[in-house]
Amino acid sequence: MNNRVPILKVDNFWLVTIEETLHDQSVIEFKEDLLHNITRDAGAGLVIDISALEVVDSFVTRVLMEISRLAGLLGLPFVLTGINPAVAITLTEMGLDLQGMATALNLQKGLDMLKGRARGEPK
Amino acid sequence: MTSVQTLPITSEYDIITARQAARELARQIGFNTVDQVRIATAVSELTRNVVLYAGSGKVDIEAVAEEERQGIVITVSDRGPGIADIELALRDGYSTSNGLGAGLSGAKRLMDTFDIESRAGRGTTIRIGKWKHWK
Ligand SMILES: Nc1ncnc2c1ncn2[C@@H]1O[C@H](COP(=O)(O)OP(=O)(O)OP(=O)(O)O)[C@@H](O)[C@H]1O
Ligand SMILES: [Mg+2]
Protein backbone atom coordinates (compact mmCIF):
# COMPACT_ATOMS: atom_id res chain seq x y z
CA MET A 1 0.00 0.00 0.00
CA ASN A 2 1.12 3.45 -0.84
CA ASN A 3 -1.04 5.53 1.45
CA ARG A 4 -0.09 9.20 1.28
CA VAL A 5 -1.88 10.25 4.44
CA PRO A 6 0.23 10.05 7.60
CA ILE A 7 -1.53 8.29 10.46
CA LEU A 8 0.04 9.16 13.79
CA LYS A 9 -0.48 7.88 17.27
CA VAL A 10 0.29 10.39 20.00
CA ASP A 11 -0.48 9.75 23.68
CA ASN A 12 -2.71 6.85 22.66
CA PHE A 13 -4.78 9.02 20.31
CA TRP A 14 -4.88 8.48 16.56
CA LEU A 15 -4.29 11.75 14.75
CA VAL A 16 -4.75 12.19 11.03
CA THR A 17 -4.32 15.36 9.02
CA ILE A 18 -5.34 15.08 5.40
CA GLU A 19 -2.92 17.54 3.89
CA GLU A 20 -3.73 17.54 0.22
CA THR A 21 -6.37 16.81 -2.36
CA LEU A 22 -6.58 13.06 -2.75
CA HIS A 23 -7.72 11.10 -5.75
CA ASP A 24 -10.16 8.29 -5.10
CA GLN A 25 -7.64 5.48 -4.89
CA SER A 26 -5.63 7.35 -2.22
CA VAL A 27 -8.81 7.91 -0.24
CA ILE A 28 -9.52 4.17 -0.30
CA GLU A 29 -5.93 3.33 0.63
CA PHE A 30 -6.05 5.81 3.48
CA LYS A 31 -9.30 4.33 4.76
CA GLU A 32 -7.98 0.78 4.64
CA ASP A 33 -4.75 1.73 6.29
CA LEU A 34 -6.61 3.56 9.06
CA LEU A 35 -9.15 0.78 9.62
CA HIS A 36 -6.31 -1.74 9.78
CA ASN A 37 -4.58 0.36 12.43
CA ILE A 38 -7.58 1.04 14.64
CA THR A 39 -8.88 -2.54 14.57
CA ARG A 40 -5.52 -3.83 15.75
CA ASP A 41 -5.09 -1.28 18.49
CA ALA A 42 -8.04 1.00 19.13
CA GLY A 43 -6.42 3.55 21.42
CA ALA A 44 -8.34 6.26 23.25
CA GLY A 45 -9.70 8.22 20.31
CA LEU A 46 -9.40 9.32 16.71
CA VAL A 47 -9.20 12.80 15.23
CA ILE A 48 -9.28 13.40 11.49
CA ASP A 49 -8.62 16.90 10.24
CA ILE A 50 -9.95 17.79 6.80
CA SER A 51 -9.23 21.52 6.71
CA ALA A 52 -7.07 21.09 3.59
CA LEU A 53 -9.92 19.60 1.59
CA GLU A 54 -11.45 22.16 -0.75
CA VAL A 55 -14.10 19.74 -1.95
CA VAL A 56 -15.89 17.07 0.04
CA ASP A 57 -18.23 15.20 -2.26
CA SER A 58 -20.52 12.22 -1.75
CA PHE A 59 -17.66 9.78 -2.22
CA VAL A 60 -15.48 11.30 0.52
CA THR A 61 -18.55 11.69 2.74
CA ARG A 62 -19.31 8.00 2.39
CA VAL A 63 -15.74 7.09 3.36
CA LEU A 64 -15.93 9.36 6.43
CA MET A 65 -19.23 7.72 7.39
CA GLU A 66 -17.66 4.28 7.10
CA ILE A 67 -14.76 5.31 9.31
CA SER A 68 -17.17 6.83 11.82
CA ARG A 69 -19.30 3.70 11.87
CA LEU A 70 -16.36 1.39 12.47
CA ALA A 71 -14.94 3.68 15.15
CA GLY A 72 -18.37 3.52 16.80
CA LEU A 73 -18.41 -0.28 16.71
CA LEU A 74 -14.97 -0.34 18.28
CA GLY A 75 -16.04 2.13 20.95
CA LEU A 76 -13.39 4.51 19.70
CA PRO A 77 -14.42 8.16 20.14
CA PHE A 78 -14.06 10.01 16.83
CA VAL A 79 -13.95 13.73 16.09
CA LEU A 80 -13.86 15.24 12.62
CA THR A 81 -12.16 18.63 12.55
CA GLY A 82 -11.53 21.57 10.27
CA ILE A 83 -14.54 21.36 7.96
CA ASN A 84 -14.36 24.56 5.99
CA PRO A 85 -17.57 26.64 6.06
CA ALA A 86 -18.12 26.52 2.29
CA VAL A 87 -17.78 22.75 2.42
CA ALA A 88 -20.25 22.54 5.29
CA ILE A 89 -22.80 24.66 3.40
CA THR A 90 -22.35 22.55 0.27
CA LEU A 91 -22.79 19.26 2.12
CA THR A 92 -25.93 20.51 3.82
CA GLU A 93 -27.44 21.61 0.52
CA MET A 94 -26.67 18.24 -1.00
CA GLY A 95 -28.61 16.64 1.81
CA LEU A 96 -25.50 15.04 3.26
CA ASP A 97 -25.36 15.52 6.97
CA LEU A 98 -22.41 13.96 8.68
CA GLN A 99 -24.79 11.75 10.66
CA GLY A 100 -24.12 12.73 14.20
CA MET A 101 -20.35 12.90 13.85
CA ALA A 102 -18.68 14.95 16.54
CA THR A 103 -16.91 17.93 15.02
CA ALA A 104 -14.49 20.56 16.25
CA LEU A 105 -12.78 23.63 14.81
CA ASN A 106 -9.29 22.22 14.56
CA LEU A 107 -7.10 19.28 15.46
CA GLN A 108 -6.12 20.71 18.85
CA LYS A 109 -9.75 21.36 19.84
CA GLY A 110 -10.68 17.89 18.66
CA LEU A 111 -7.96 16.36 20.75
CA ASP A 112 -8.94 18.45 23.79
CA MET A 113 -12.49 17.22 23.35
CA LEU A 114 -11.38 13.58 23.35
CA LYS A 115 -9.04 14.07 26.30
CA GLY A 116 -11.85 15.67 28.25
CA ARG A 117 -14.06 12.74 27.41
CA ALA A 118 -11.35 10.24 28.44
CA ARG A 119 -11.22 11.99 31.81
CA GLY A 120 -14.98 11.69 32.10
CA GLU A 121 -15.73 15.38 31.81
CA PRO A 122 -19.06 16.40 30.36
CA LYS A 123 -18.92 17.41 26.69
CA MET B 1 -15.38 35.37 -22.41
CA THR B 2 -16.80 32.82 -24.79
CA SER B 3 -14.01 30.27 -24.93
CA VAL B 4 -14.83 26.72 -24.00
CA GLN B 5 -12.35 24.61 -22.15
CA THR B 6 -12.67 20.92 -22.96
CA LEU B 7 -11.07 18.32 -20.74
CA PRO B 8 -11.06 14.56 -21.21
CA ILE B 9 -12.27 12.30 -18.43
CA THR B 10 -10.53 8.97 -18.56
CA SER B 11 -9.46 8.31 -14.99
CA GLU B 12 -10.11 9.40 -11.44
CA TYR B 13 -7.24 11.89 -11.76
CA ASP B 14 -9.32 13.80 -14.28
CA ILE B 15 -12.04 14.31 -11.66
CA ILE B 16 -9.63 16.52 -9.74
CA THR B 17 -8.38 18.32 -12.85
CA ALA B 18 -11.94 19.03 -13.99
CA ARG B 19 -13.23 20.33 -10.68
CA GLN B 20 -10.16 22.51 -10.19
CA ALA B 21 -10.57 23.98 -13.69
CA ALA B 22 -14.24 24.68 -13.01
CA ARG B 23 -13.45 26.28 -9.70
CA GLU B 24 -10.74 28.45 -11.25
CA LEU B 25 -13.04 29.68 -14.01
CA ALA B 26 -15.78 30.33 -11.42
CA ARG B 27 -13.30 32.39 -9.44
CA GLN B 28 -12.31 34.41 -12.53
CA ILE B 29 -15.97 35.08 -13.30
CA GLY B 30 -16.32 36.46 -9.79
CA PHE B 31 -18.31 33.79 -8.00
CA ASN B 32 -17.86 33.88 -4.23
CA THR B 33 -16.05 31.10 -2.37
CA VAL B 34 -19.18 29.18 -1.43
CA ASP B 35 -20.38 29.20 -5.05
CA GLN B 36 -16.92 28.10 -6.21
CA VAL B 37 -17.13 25.12 -3.87
CA ARG B 38 -20.71 24.35 -4.95
CA ILE B 39 -19.65 24.34 -8.59
CA ALA B 40 -16.48 22.29 -7.98
CA THR B 41 -18.46 19.76 -5.95
CA ALA B 42 -21.12 19.37 -8.64
CA VAL B 43 -18.38 18.80 -11.22
CA SER B 44 -16.75 16.26 -8.92
CA GLU B 45 -20.03 14.32 -8.71
CA LEU B 46 -20.76 14.31 -12.43
CA THR B 47 -17.23 13.47 -13.56
CA ARG B 48 -16.95 10.68 -11.00
CA ASN B 49 -20.16 9.21 -12.40
CA VAL B 50 -18.54 9.23 -15.84
CA VAL B 51 -15.49 7.35 -14.59
CA LEU B 52 -17.62 4.95 -12.57
CA TYR B 53 -20.45 4.17 -14.98
CA ALA B 54 -19.22 5.06 -18.46
CA GLY B 55 -15.46 4.61 -18.16
CA SER B 56 -14.63 7.78 -20.04
CA GLY B 57 -16.10 10.99 -21.38
CA LYS B 58 -15.41 14.69 -21.45
CA VAL B 59 -16.28 17.93 -19.76
CA ASP B 60 -16.76 21.36 -21.35
CA ILE B 61 -16.39 24.36 -19.08
CA GLU B 62 -17.61 27.69 -20.31
CA ALA B 63 -18.14 31.22 -19.06
CA VAL B 64 -21.40 32.69 -20.29
CA ALA B 65 -22.78 36.23 -20.36
CA GLU B 66 -26.35 37.22 -21.06
CA GLU B 67 -27.69 40.75 -20.81
CA GLU B 68 -26.61 41.89 -17.39
CA ARG B 69 -25.68 38.60 -15.92
CA GLN B 70 -22.68 36.32 -15.99
CA GLY B 71 -22.44 32.67 -15.27
CA ILE B 72 -20.82 29.34 -15.85
CA VAL B 73 -22.06 26.37 -17.85
CA ILE B 74 -20.51 22.94 -17.57
CA THR B 75 -21.39 20.04 -19.81
CA VAL B 76 -20.35 16.53 -18.84
CA SER B 77 -20.89 13.87 -21.47
CA ASP B 78 -20.14 10.24 -22.07
CA ARG B 79 -21.03 7.45 -24.45
CA GLY B 80 -21.56 4.94 -21.70
CA PRO B 81 -24.57 2.76 -20.93
CA GLY B 82 -26.92 5.70 -20.39
CA ILE B 83 -29.49 6.04 -17.63
CA ALA B 84 -32.67 4.06 -18.26
CA ASP B 85 -34.80 5.79 -15.64
CA ILE B 86 -33.68 9.36 -15.07
CA GLU B 87 -36.31 10.13 -12.46
CA LEU B 88 -35.16 7.16 -10.40
CA ALA B 89 -31.47 8.05 -10.81
CA LEU B 90 -32.22 11.55 -9.51
CA ARG B 91 -33.86 10.26 -6.39
CA ASP B 92 -31.96 10.85 -3.15
CA GLY B 93 -30.33 7.63 -2.04
CA TYR B 94 -30.74 5.72 -5.30
CA SER B 95 -27.48 4.05 -6.28
CA THR B 96 -26.50 1.05 -8.36
CA SER B 97 -22.98 1.05 -6.93
CA ASN B 98 -23.52 1.09 -3.17
CA GLY B 99 -22.94 4.81 -3.14
CA LEU B 100 -24.94 7.32 -1.13
CA GLY B 101 -26.98 8.12 -4.21
CA ALA B 102 -26.37 11.79 -3.57
CA GLY B 103 -24.37 12.73 -6.65
CA LEU B 104 -26.99 13.64 -9.25
CA SER B 105 -29.57 14.99 -6.82
CA GLY B 106 -26.87 16.92 -4.96
CA ALA B 107 -25.40 18.44 -8.13
CA LYS B 108 -28.89 19.49 -9.15
CA ARG B 109 -29.50 21.28 -5.87
CA LEU B 110 -26.13 23.02 -5.89
CA MET B 111 -26.65 24.57 -9.31
CA ASP B 112 -29.26 26.92 -10.83
CA THR B 113 -29.84 24.83 -13.92
CA PHE B 114 -29.56 21.10 -14.49
CA ASP B 115 -30.45 19.41 -17.76
CA ILE B 116 -29.96 15.77 -18.42
CA GLU B 117 -30.24 13.86 -21.64
CA SER B 118 -29.62 10.16 -21.63
CA ARG B 119 -30.51 7.19 -23.73
CA ALA B 120 -29.94 3.58 -22.84
CA GLY B 121 -26.97 2.28 -24.76
CA ARG B 122 -26.10 5.71 -26.18
CA GLY B 123 -24.67 7.72 -23.33
CA THR B 124 -25.42 10.61 -21.05
CA THR B 125 -25.04 14.37 -21.31
CA ILE B 126 -25.62 16.57 -18.29
CA ARG B 127 -25.45 20.33 -18.49
CA ILE B 128 -25.30 22.37 -15.32
CA GLY B 129 -25.19 26.10 -14.93
CA LYS B 130 -25.03 28.79 -12.34
CA TRP B 131 -25.56 32.54 -12.52
CA LYS B 132 -23.64 34.96 -10.42
CA HIS B 133 -25.66 36.65 -7.63
CA TRP B 134 -28.48 34.20 -7.62
CA LYS B 135 -29.85 32.22 -4.73
N1 LIG C 1 -23.01 8.97 -16.51
C1 LIG C 1 -23.80 7.94 -16.12
N2 LIG C 1 -23.98 6.86 -16.92
C2 LIG C 1 -24.77 5.83 -16.53
N3 LIG C 1 -25.42 5.78 -15.35
C3 LIG C 1 -25.27 6.82 -14.49
C4 LIG C 1 -24.46 7.95 -14.83
N4 LIG C 1 -24.52 8.84 -13.81
C5 LIG C 1 -25.32 8.28 -12.89
N5 LIG C 1 -25.78 7.07 -13.28
C6 LIG C 1 -26.73 6.18 -12.53
O1 LIG C 1 -27.47 6.98 -11.64
C7 LIG C 1 -27.32 6.49 -10.30
C8 LIG C 1 -27.36 7.65 -9.32
O2 LIG C 1 -26.20 8.47 -9.50
P1 LIG C 1 -25.68 9.34 -8.26
O3 LIG C 1 -24.43 10.03 -8.69
O4 LIG C 1 -26.80 10.18 -7.78
O5 LIG C 1 -25.39 8.26 -7.14
P2 LIG C 1 -24.18 7.23 -7.03
O6 LIG C 1 -23.13 7.56 -8.03
O7 LIG C 1 -24.75 5.87 -7.11
O8 LIG C 1 -23.65 7.48 -5.55
P3 LIG C 1 -22.82 8.77 -5.04
O9 LIG C 1 -22.70 9.72 -6.20
O10 LIG C 1 -23.63 9.33 -3.93
O11 LIG C 1 -21.51 8.26 -4.59
C9 LIG C 1 -26.02 5.72 -10.32
O12 LIG C 1 -25.97 4.74 -9.28
C10 LIG C 1 -26.02 5.12 -11.71
O13 LIG C 1 -26.80 3.95 -11.76
MG1 LIG D 1 -22.37 9.48 -8.22
Side-chain angles (χ1 to χ4, degrees), chain B residues 67-83:
Chain B
E67 286 152 30
E68 296 293 281
R69 56 183 191 169
Q70 282 184 300
I72 191 167
V73 171
I74 297 146
T75 310
V76 180
S77 52
D78 67 67
R79 291 168 186 272
I83 301 172

Side-chain angles (χ1 to χ4, degrees), chain A residues 10-56:
Chain A
V10 179
D11 288 346
N12 210 28
F13 291 95
W14 293 105
L15 303 181
V16 178
T17 303
I18 299 178
E19 282 162 339
E20 54 177 334
T21 298
L22 299 172
H23 60 84
D24 296 7
Q25 190 54 40
S26 314
V27 173
I28 300 281
E29 279 167 14
F30 155 64
K31 181 190 81 176
E32 285 175 359
D33 202 358
L34 178 67
L35 297 189
H36 179 77
N37 275 297
I38 64 176
T39 46
R40 284 206 326 196
D41 170 16
L46 166 67
V47 186
I48 300 180
D49 186 84
I50 59 166
S51 52
L53 295 186
E54 295 191 328
V55 167
V56 175

Side-chain angles (χ1 to χ4, degrees), chain B residues 45 49 53 103:
Chain B
E45 296 296 348
N49 282 353
Y53 307 115

Side-chain angles (χ1 to χ4, degrees), chain A residues 67-123:
Chain A
I67 292 170
S68 169
R69 205 171 302 136
L70 187 73
L73 287 172
L74 294 171
L76 178 69
F78 167 47
V79 182
L80 185 68
T81 66
I83 305 172
N84 110 29
V87 166
I89 292 169
T90 300
L91 284 176
T92 310
E93 287 174 0
M94 291 179 78
L96 295 172
D97 58 356
L98 291 167
Q99 296 187 347
M101 273 182 229
T103 55
L105 205 58
N106 55 41
L107 197 73
Q108 183 63 55
K109 290 223 160 71
L111 190 56
D112 291 347
M113 208 164 133
L114 290 180
K115 284 185 168 163
R117 207 181 291 179
R119 284 194 301 267
E121 290 169 8
K123 272 196 236 175

Side-chain angles (χ1 to χ4, degrees), chain A residues 21-26 54-62 65 84-87 89-90 92-96, chain B residues 12-13 15-16 19-20 23 33-34 37-38 40-41 44-45 48 92 98-100 102-103 106-107 109-110 135:
Chain A
T21 298
L22 299 172
H23 60 84
D24 296 7
Q25 190 54 40
S26 314
E54 295 191 328
V55 167
V56 175
D57 56 19
S58 62
F59 169 73
V60 170
T61 301
R62 178 165 57 111
M65 285 175 176
N84 110 29
V87 166
I89 292 169
T90 300
T92 310
E93 287 174 0
M94 291 179 78
L96 295 172
Chain B
E12 56 180 65
Y13 294 92
I15 299 171
I16 297 173
R19 75 183 184 212
Q20 285 177 345
R23 183 180 181 153
T33 309
V34 179
V37 172
R38 288 184 176 113
T41 306
S44 192
E45 296 296 348
R48 177 171 294 97
D92 264 340
N98 258 315
L100 295 176
R109 280 194 220 110
L110 293 173
K135 274 197 155 163

